[in-house]
Amino acid sequence: MDVAFPSGADTCAAWLYLPERTEGERPPVVILGHGLGGVREMRLDAFAECFCEKGYACLVFDYRHFGASTGDPRQLINIDRELADWRAALAYVRSHDEVDGSRVALFGSSFGGGLVIDVAAADGGVSAVISQCPFTDGFASARAGGAVSTARVSVRAIRDVASATFRRRPVMVALAGPPRSAALMTAPDCGPGYAALADLAPTFRNEVCARFALDIARYFPGRRAKDVNCPIFFALCRDDSVAPASATRRHAQRAHRGEVVEYPCGHFDIYLGDPFERAVTDYIDFLKRQLPTG
């Protein structure tokens, strides 16, 4: 069902999935959020449907400034605001009458996979975390983009900051593009990978406000893995060209209750086909062990 919850002065649009249950039963709930510029139609619904079939309620939301959520300017990635959106989603499910707000898991993918580490570490009351192909190390991801693309994006980012200062129209940059282009992700598999997911999402736009590029190399959510006190499942894509698996391995080793599984695929492959089927089976096994359903 369509629902919404407040975050700051704006509203996050979401879907709430409720499993079949006996009268009065309140199931545990999984909150799902996407990565860079992603919207919920880009296969988060597929994960939620699988979890719901196994007895879990699911809340799948769009960050502010994206998809069906409110927020201006559009297509703005702001780390602090997206962390606040996760906290707002937690507050929403914890106060909902039809789910067990004391048993909440977080599922974040790509950039969202890094955000959930940060959120769980700060919150302390989350029951479990699934961090899929996670962005954990800003420096590693910035290097993966290549020097030429980084330089071209940086020029636009500086122009966008100036535009924001004078309240002018944002300067945009592509999320995914060909090698050496002015895009945040430029590995050969990024364009086709994003396109395969974008075909499922009519609200998706392959652009964001360029100012975000100045924040990427300074954000290291993986460093907070050591502060997560609940079980956390790290799903690494072995051939990840966006969020290098080597960086995540280092951070995951510091998690007190971490589990690491590597999948022989690229960053965008895990949303579809056999990699998806294998991964979602592992996620359900993890959830069943950490948050048993009735």
Side-chain angles (χ1 to χ4, degrees):
M1 70 178 76
D2 290 322
V3 298
F5 56 88
S7 184
D10 294 299
T11 301
C12 288
W15 294 319
L16 179 63
Y17 294 76
L18 294 173
E20 292 185 8
R21 59 204 189 282
T22 59
E23 185 176 353
E25 180 185 356
R26 299 173 65 203
V29 57
V30 183
I31 303 173
L32 297 92
H34 228 306
L36 284 182
V39 292
R40 52 195 164 140
E41 293 91 346
M42 298 169 79
R43 292 289 288 176
L44 288 187
D45 51 347
F47 290 99
E49 288 167 5
C50 292
F51 298 156
C52 193
E53 288 176 1
K54 299 300 181 180
Y56 296 93
C58 294
L59 182 75
V60 186
F61 73 96
D62 282 333
Y63 299 109
R64 284 177 286 174
H65 307 279
F66 289 92
S69 295
T70 64
D72 289 312
R74 302 306 294 168
Q75 303 298 113
L76 173 67
I77 301 176
N78 180 289
I79 296 171
D80 289 338
R81 291 188 184 188
E82 294 197 351
L83 289 170
D85 293 344
W86 277 100
R87 294 193 294 269
L90 271 168
Y92 175 79
V93 299
R94 284 171 171 165
S95 63
H96 201 287
D97 292 337
E98 296 187 78
V99 303
D100 185 350
S102 67
R103 296 194 296 155
V104 182
L106 306 182
F107 175 100
S109 190
S110 192
F111 196 72
L115 294 174
V116 292
I117 299 171
D118 208 341
V119 171
D123 182 84
V126 172
S127 300
V129 174
I130 298 172
S131 180
Q132 175 177 273
C133 54
F135 172 101
T136 56
D137 191 298
F139 184 67
S141 289
R143 286 183 60 191
V148 173
S149 291
T150 298
R152 289 176 172 171
V153 168
S154 297
V155 170
R156 294 195 182 190
I158 293 168
R159 288 173 50 207
D160 188 37
V161 170
S163 294
T165 301
F166 294 102
R167 299 184 179 181
R168 295 174 181 165
R169 191 173 183 176
V171 176
M172 311 301 282
V173 67
L175 283 160
R180 300 170 64 88
S181 66
L184 296 178
M185 295 176 284
T186 58
D189 65 325
C190 290
Y194 238 125
L197 300 179
D199 286 345
L200 307 170
T203 63
F204 173 75
R205 290 165 51 187
N206 185 27
E207 62 177 5
V208 292
C209 298
R211 69 197 75 167
F212 170 70
L214 300 178
D215 297 326
I216 294 176
R218 298 181 294 169
Y219 188 47
F220 296 83
R223 292 176 178 174
R224 302 217 64 189
K226 61 180 175 48
D227 302 318
V228 176
N229 59 18
C230 67
I232 177 169
F233 186 104
F234 294 93
L236 277 60
C237 296
R238 193 174 301 159
D239 303 319
D240 201 317
S241 62
V242 175
S246 57
T248 299
R249 287 189 202 102
R250 292 197 309 271
H251 295 301
Q253 289 174 355
R254 300 185 178 95
H256 301 295
R257 303 174 68 185
E259 298 182 28
V260 180
V261 176
E262 298 192 20
Y263 300 92
C265 65
H267 187 82
F268 298 96
D269 299 325
I270 202 165
Y271 297 95
L272 300 162
D274 289 341
F276 166 82
E277 296 294 342
R278 178 182 169 189
V280 79
T281 299
D282 291 343
Y283 302 160
I284 290 169
D285 175 71
F286 173 76
L287 290 171
K288 287 290 187 182
R289 286 185 280 115
Q290 311 305 336
L291 286 87
T293 60

